[in-house]
Amino acid sequence: MAKTYYAEGRQIAFLFRGIFVILTVLLFFYITPELHWGFFFLFIGVGVFLAEIMGGMWTRYRRKLNQTSKSADRIKAMRSSKIETSQKQRRTRRKLTDDEIISADIDTLSGTDFERLIELYYRDHGYCVEHVGGSGDHEVDLILKGKEGYKIAVQCKRWKGSVGNDIVLRLKAGKQVHGCYDAWIITTSHFTKAAQEAAERLNIRLINGVAVHDMINRWRKQRVK
């Protein structure tokens, strides 16, 4: 049963009622005994009335405080539940097979699965592919090595927002760190104007979302034949 705090309010009312009665008695018998007895009963009545108001105010205050506390607890519990659900989903998410990645909607893939899709695509097109992604990858996810023998540093971005020139500049450094001859950035979205200008100066190839969907769709059709 929910706590109403009515009993607490009554205790507060009784307390102040007693205080007002004592003050009224002191006022009439020790301070101003010449006052008419009518004032005595008037002050008693006013004191009782004020005591009831104070008791009611206390009850409302405690109820409001309790509701605020419950609301805060509910919000905290909801946030905690969302975090637990998210963590559980990450833990229980099944790793997709190669065939599932190839046939999946590109825009629903995770960043890791998108890297695997690009890796599978270039392996199927005759490249030797080394997966680099991870801590200290210097913005290089894959390194492709074609028949010519030179290496290509590839950065995969499964993004919704635009890829900026900061990614281009970091890939330029990653290309040199990994000793690659060329560098490509492959994204499901698009590139900012600054990124395009930087890539042109640094001779880095940019492959946007439109091109990615086109090349993957053509590859899928070829695999079916």
Side-chain angles (χ1 to χ4, degrees), residues 104-109 114 117 158 188 212-213 216-217 220:
D105 181 352
I106 296 175
D107 294 324
T108 64
L109 293 175
F114 180 62
L117 175 65
R158 222 295 288 159
T188 53
V212 168
H213 280 80
I216 296 298
N217 287 336
R220 287 170 175 168

Side-chain angles (χ1 to χ4, degrees), residues 74-166:
R74 281 196 297 269
I75 293 172
K76 185 177 180 180
M78 289 173 62
R79 289 177 177 173
S80 177
S81 177
K82 287 181 179 179
I83 292 173
E84 289 178 1
T85 301
S86 177
Q87 291 175 342
K88 187 179 292 184
Q89 288 175 344
R90 287 197 295 267
R91 289 195 300 267
T92 59
R93 182 175 180 179
R94 183 177 60 84
K95 185 177 180 181
L96 299 179
T97 64
D98 290 348
D99 288 337
E100 288 174 330
I101 289 176
I102 293 171
S103 60
D105 181 352
I106 296 175
D107 294 324
T108 64
L109 293 175
S110 67
T112 301
D113 287 338
F114 180 62
E115 289 178 17
R116 289 177 61 199
L117 175 65
I118 299 303
E119 178 179 349
L120 292 169
Y121 173 85
Y122 283 106
R123 283 190 188 279
D124 202 42
H125 283 76
Y127 288 86
C128 293
V129 184
E130 176 188 353
H131 189 274
V132 182
S135 178
D137 62 6
H138 299 282
E139 290 295 338
V140 177
D141 294 319
L142 308 172
I143 295 179
L144 311 181
K145 188 174 182 181
K147 296 178 181 179
E148 299 83 0
Y150 65 84
K151 296 191 297 183
I152 304 168
V154 179
Q155 171 59 238
C156 303
K157 291 294 183 187
R158 222 295 288 159
W159 282 7
K160 292 183 179 179
S162 302
V163 178
N165 65 334
D166 56 322

